[in-house]
Amino acid sequence: MVYYVRFLKTPRIQKGSITALICITTDLGDAFLAEDADLVLTVEKDKEVVYKSQIKWNAYNRELPITLGPLPVHLIKTLVLKVDAEAEPPSKSKSISEPDLSSSIPLIVGAISAPFGPQNTPAAKLVQRTINAPEAVKLQVWEETGNSIARHIWDAGLATVVYLGETLQRMSQDVKRNKATKSPLPALEKVLTTSRSSVIQVVELGAGCGIVGIGLAQMLSNCSVLLTDLPEVEEIITRNINETRPANVSSVRYQNLDWEQPPDDLCSQPIALILVSDCTYNADSLPVLVSCLDRLVRTSPEAIILVSLKRRHESETVFFDLMRSAGFRSVQDSMELPSEHGQVDEIEFYCYSRDVRV
Ligand SMILES: C[S@@+](CC[C@H](N)C(=O)[O-])C[C@H]1O[C@@H](n2cnc3c(N)ncnc32)[C@H](O)[C@@H]1O
């Protein structure tokens, strides 16, 4: 299980010192990191480090107060606080089929605060995550500090960005070596191939903060990504879209889309790839999710669907039955994420396409 540094109280300057309250918890917020960790606290002003300190998270902690200072008067300006795990040896995320092409997802995902100023007002209730995707792509995504399901990053989203990056990396290495490596999800590689002249249309359902679709648009040229979700994510996802730098001839935009009422005219061009990450946790919404996928693929019969998930309940297996009944067939792969005490956690990937016999 990956753990995320969360601000329970965002940083502020009080009586000349920076104060904040953090915890280190899972994406669901249902468990705290139960091992000791050394954390590095970095204060930046205009992207320059002006103060650095360390603090220890103990295995029994549920929260950890931070106090830095008193700061010299010339530093009482608009600042940003970063909280990161001390350079732990990066655990390797690993695709079962290609173990040596992995990049690192740390056990503890650090946090960067929104700016806070000298007037004792706390930073906005936001946190920025930095994801080091393959090919030196640095993805920066804002999420909220609260407990909203939609407005923060989930493990499968994090893993999917790295998985897509690794797939693209392997494909480009194959081109350089003039050699085809066996692909775990050949239909996905076919869609992602860069030797195509037209811009591919990608739609993400339940995009949350937009980590997956934005990550793809940053890593893949010639793609048009439409992120969709319920209206509650519009503000955070728009912030992330505005700060992204898509690859050559790629673009990202957002549209509200409720799985219960997908519009018939979502894209003017046929959709090539539909992304669905960590959206199968709620068994009640699975019938509408599958019926939405079915409707999208009826208008774009060549589309493939990449579903990524972390198993949370037995009830999620209904998803696979519903997909089968709707005439979809899948090919599967998986990736390991680091977990406490040297253990690993699994993220599953299913690449669905319409069974031509249906
Ligand atoms: C667990 S979050 C995953 C977010 C993101 N894909 C990730 O991996 O970080 C599930 C997302 O599904 C969205 N969702 C749930 N029900 C939905 C519906 N009926 N229509 C559209 N989106 C929905 C939620 O708003 C939420 O953003």
Side-chain angles (χ1 to χ4, degrees), residues 7 17 49 53-54 117 133 140 158 190 196 223 230 239-240 291 300 304-305 310 329 334 346:
F7 287 110
S17 295
V49 177
S53 183
Q54 286 179 318
Q140 292 199 294
L158 195 64
K190 195 169 162 212
R196 59 188 145 71
C223 69
L230 299 172
R239 177 185 273 265
N240 285 325
S291 116
S300 298
I304 61 158
I305 306 165
K310 176 164 139 171
R329 61 192 156 86
S334 65
E346 192 176 58

Side-chain angles (χ1 to χ4, degrees), residues 285-304:
S285 60
L286 293 177
V288 284
L289 173 59
V290 173
S291 116
C292 175
L293 289 169
D294 179 53
R295 276 184 66 179
L296 293 181
V297 174
R298 276 180 201 280
T299 55
S300 298
E302 302 287 313
I304 61 158

Side-chain angles (χ1 to χ4, degrees), residues 3 8 45 72 102 121 127 176 187 206 227 256 267 273 305 307 341 349-350:
Y3 289 81
L8 296 173
K45 177 175 155 295
S102 46
T121 33
V127 57
K176 279 186 207 140
L227 308 172
N256 290 322
C267 287
L273 173 63
I305 306 165
V307 176
H341 309 297
F349 299 96
Y350 295 84

Side-chain angles (χ1 to χ4, degrees), residues 4 27-28 143 148-160 204-212 228-233 256-261 275-282 285 288-289 292 308 312:
Y4 300 81
D27 56 358
L28 264 180
E143 62 174 354
S148 146
I149 284 187
R151 296 186 296 270
H152 76 260
I153 291 164
W154 292 75
D155 288 358
L158 195 64
T160 307
E204 182 172 4
L205 300 183
C209 300
I211 175 173
V212 177
T228 70
D229 205 305
L230 299 172
E232 62 173 293
V233 308
N256 290 322
L257 182 154
D258 187 332
W259 303 334
E260 295 199 27
Q261 300 158 320
L275 299 166
V276 185
S277 154
D278 236 329
C279 289
T280 52
Y281 60 94
N282 178 3
S285 60
V288 284
L289 173 59
C292 175
S308 50
R312 298 175 198 266

